Amino acid sequence: MSIDGEPATSTSTLPVIDPAVAAPFACVPDCTREQLDATVAAAQRAFVTWSDESFEERRRLVNAFIERVVADADALAPLITREQGKPLVKARGEINAAVFFARGYAAVELAPEVLRDTPQQRVELRRRPLGVVGAITAWNYPVLLAMWKIVPAVLAGNTIVLKPSPHTPLATLRLGELAQDIFPRGVVNVISGGNALGTWMTEHPGIRKIAFTGSGPTGKRVMASAAGNLKRLTLELGGNDAGIVLDDVDPVRIAGDLFWAKFSNCGQVCAALKRMYVHRSVYKAVCDELVKFAATVKMGGGMEEGVDIGPIQNRMQYDLVRAMVDEAVAGGAKVLYRSGVPSGPGLFLPITILTDVTPSMRVVKEEVFGPVLTITPFDDEDEALRLANDSEYGLGGSVWSSDAQRAAKVASRLDSGGAWVNQHPAMGPDIPFGGVKGSGIGVELGRLGLEEYTSIQVLNVKF
Ligand code: NAD
């Protein structure tokens, strides 16, 4: 890769755009099909010995890799900020989170389960690695998403070929470089390229599993293309999460949490609270407090001091989110709040809170991956749940109340993989995370997440 004018090492390259100024600042190799073939072949060769290593030895090297990432945080953080847009302090936060989750993942056990143990027979359910894993990631959390795939894949005994989003390849390529110091050759491979490279990976006969994080429409294409050799799949796709705010909340106390549930990372979070349903008795107070809070938030370039929210990551999203808001307003939605934006060519969209929206508007129906929140009042819990569950997606959802037990009862009726009370989202390295309906297939994190990188083998011994 080349940054700020240093020579690139490949003839065919892709530009990397800094969204704070909407201008290229680096370029990376655009991997060809032949280079993918060579990488997969190297990963297949490495699999022979890596899969034979003990689990403890693999864990030792995974932990060494995680510490290598910790030591490199000063170099990684500005790469994330410049390619992704998030403020430097949040880029640091992403690395810290990636390390926290990775350490937790690396502590998970994968011991065989004894199903029968009698004088006549012993039956064990064992977990075996799959082979070469193809990992494909999105641009909103490049380092976090990459670590969520590298760590379980290689811990379980697989080798991995990882392709970051063409919009944010730099920090992930850096992770690939760090991995070379730790793992045997061919175990961890990072390649950069466009969307076509993703398609070649999903079709590739040498890849046994695709671990994919991205949008719903791409997820469906991945699934169809991976059918060729019946690849295993984990699909972590988009979401259109609802948050239900019950009548007994304290609007002042929860305003900050509600705000960041939506606007973290400039609203570019798969499991952000994208549609808010608020009981009519507290509707005005919640709206007022959200507006007050929003007015305290600073938007700007990620390398500036004191910035809370950066730009939208890429031009396509910028145009899409803008169009969705314009359409909604033309259709009768009211703008409850709209922030200013920094001047200049950067891809800054205002923090926008919309009311008077209808379920058929795209801003409600589709995933809005940007700084836009819709708020709708409701009169009873059944109505709130009906509205919340009226979505093709089912990643997460939350219920907010001063009575956590009451909220938990309502949350358990959400049609989503995550059901959270007084928080949104809520994740942990030992807690499986994944969506239902159009939000995906399978989970990441925890033992269930690690098992997704294995196949079962039943060892059945007759004495
Ligand atoms: P995207 O689907 O456009 O791209 C994701 C990745 O897929 C990129 O690396 C891209 O190059 C690759 N790709 C594109 N076309 C492909 C194809 N035909 N075959 C194989 N790979 C292909 O998504 P995006 O815009 O990068 O990311 C935003 C989306 O990701 C949002 O919908 C967001 O909700 C979702 N997301 C989900 C999670 C989760 O854990 N559920 C986490 C982060 C982001």
Side-chain angles (χ1 to χ4, degrees):
M1 65 183 169
S2 151
I3 299 180
D4 283 336
E6 286 168 35
T9 48
S10 164
T11 43
S12 181
T13 59
L14 296 171
V16 185
I17 311 286
D18 178 345
V21 288
F25 70 102
C27 60
V28 295
D30 186 6
C31 179
T32 63
R33 202 189 268 264
E34 292 67 35
Q35 287 167 327
L36 171 65
D37 288 344
T39 310
V40 173
Q44 283 176 316
R45 282 193 298 275
F47 178 73
V48 177
T49 40
W50 181 248
S51 56
D52 230 24
E53 282 290 0
S54 71
F55 190 79
E56 284 316 313
E57 175 59 8
R58 293 200 299 257
R59 195 199 316 261
R60 188 182 70 75
L61 292 186
V62 165
N63 280 319
F65 171 57
I66 296 168
E67 294 320 307
R68 189 78 185 78
V69 173
V70 173
D72 200 60
D74 284 346
L76 272 171
L79 285 182
I80 298 176
T81 293
R82 288 201 69 191
E83 66 179 352
Q84 204 284 330
K86 69 188 64 173
L88 197 54
V89 63
K90 309 276 182 188
R92 276 270 179 188
E94 177 177 339
I95 297 165
N96 292 343
V99 164
F100 170 73
F101 278 99
R103 284 181 178 145
Y105 231 148
V108 173
E109 297 295 339
L110 209 51
E113 192 185 335
V114 179
L115 302 179
R116 281 193 198 170
D117 193 9
T118 68
Q120 292 79 34
Q121 188 190 28
R122 183 175 166 91
V123 184
E124 280 182 8
L125 182 64
R126 303 175 68 83
R127 293 275 167 183
R128 308 184 75 220
L130 296 161
V132 179
V133 170
I136 300 174
T137 52
W139 44 257
N140 54 343
Y141 287 94
V143 166
L144 184 78
L145 297 178
M147 293 297 277
W148 280 18
K149 292 180 170 43
I150 295 171
V151 168
V154 302
L155 183 63
N158 306 282
T159 54
I160 185 169
V161 177
L162 167 61
K163 185 198 88 64
S165 165
H167 297 295
T168 53
L170 296 174
T172 316
L173 285 167
R174 176 100 187 163
L175 289 181
E177 283 171 8
L178 301 178
Q180 304 317 305
D181 295 345
I182 309 288
F183 296 106
R185 243 178 121 74
V187 172
V188 175
N189 310 274
V190 179
I191 51 177
S192 53
N195 294 343
L197 177 59
T199 308
W200 301 335
M201 288 171 69
T202 58
E203 291 168 349
H204 204 290
I207 292 180
R208 297 299 315 161
K209 175 196 166 85
I210 294 289
F212 175 81
T213 299
S215 63
T218 311
K220 287 176 192 160
R221 283 196 283 276
V222 166
M223 192 165 180
S225 161
N229 66 340
L230 225 58
K231 287 183 183 65
R232 273 44 186 165
L233 282 176
T234 309
L235 299 177
E236 293 291 351
L237 308 179
N240 194 5
D241 292 8
I244 299 176
V245 181
L246 299 183
D247 54 8
D248 61 355
V249 294
D250 175 351
V252 177
R253 204 162 71 88
I254 64 170
D257 287 348
L258 284 179
F259 180 87
W260 288 118
K262 168 62 215 185
F263 293 98
S264 267
N265 209 29
C266 196
Q268 303 165 118
V269 178
C270 53
L273 194 173
K274 291 170 182 141
R275 299 172 290 141
M276 193 179 292
Y277 298 101
V278 182
H279 192 270
R280 203 176 293 279
S281 64
V282 287
Y283 178 74
K284 182 167 182 319
V286 168
C287 286
D288 289 349
E289 290 307 321
L290 273 170
V291 167
K292 255 192 238 166
F293 192 91
T296 67
V297 170
K298 185 169 176 211
M299 183 178 279
M303 299 303 280
E304 289 167 34
E305 281 283 315
V307 164
D308 303 303
I309 290 186
I312 287 278
Q313 198 280 327
N314 61 73
R315 171 75 61 189
M316 208 179 75
Q317 275 300 323
Y318 177 91
D319 291 341
L320 177 64
V321 173
R322 244 174 87 144
M324 283 169 144
V325 171
D326 289 348
E327 253 175 59
V329 172
K334 294 212 167 69
V335 178
L336 177 68
Y337 178 79
R338 180 178 271 157
S339 73
V341 290
S343 57
L347 303 179
F348 294 98
L349 275 180
I351 296 168
T352 305
I353 304 178
L354 296 176
T355 61
D356 298 76
V357 292
T358 62
S360 61
M361 288 176 176
R362 277 209 296 167
V363 80
V364 176
K365 214 168 153 184
E366 296 179 18
E367 177 183 41
V368 184
F369 219 55
V372 181
L373 172 68
T374 63
I375 313 186
T376 304
F378 68 86
D379 292 301
D380 65 67
E381 284 166 17
D382 284 346
E383 181 194 3
L385 282 162
R386 198 173 54 251
L387 290 166
N389 289 336
D390 180 20
S391 172
E392 66 178 281
Y393 292 106
L395 192 53
S398 60
V399 181
W400 301 71
S401 166
S402 301
D403 178 346
Q405 301 294 351
R406 175 185 172 210
K409 273 200 199 128
V410 181
S412 63
R413 295 172 64 200
L414 285 168
D415 211 358
S416 54
W420 305 307
V421 170
N422 293 330
Q423 50 188 342
H424 195 138
M427 297 171 190
D430 53 339
I431 302 173
F433 172 70
V436 298
K437 300 196 283 185
S439 287
I441 292 178
V443 295
E444 294 193 287
L445 305 174
R447 177 163 173 139
L448 287 180
L450 186 57
E451 285 179 353
E452 299 242 350
Y453 289 86
T454 66
S455 58
I456 61 162
Q457 181 186 58
V458 177
L459 184 63
N460 192 329
V461 180
K462 184 177 161 196
F463 297 112

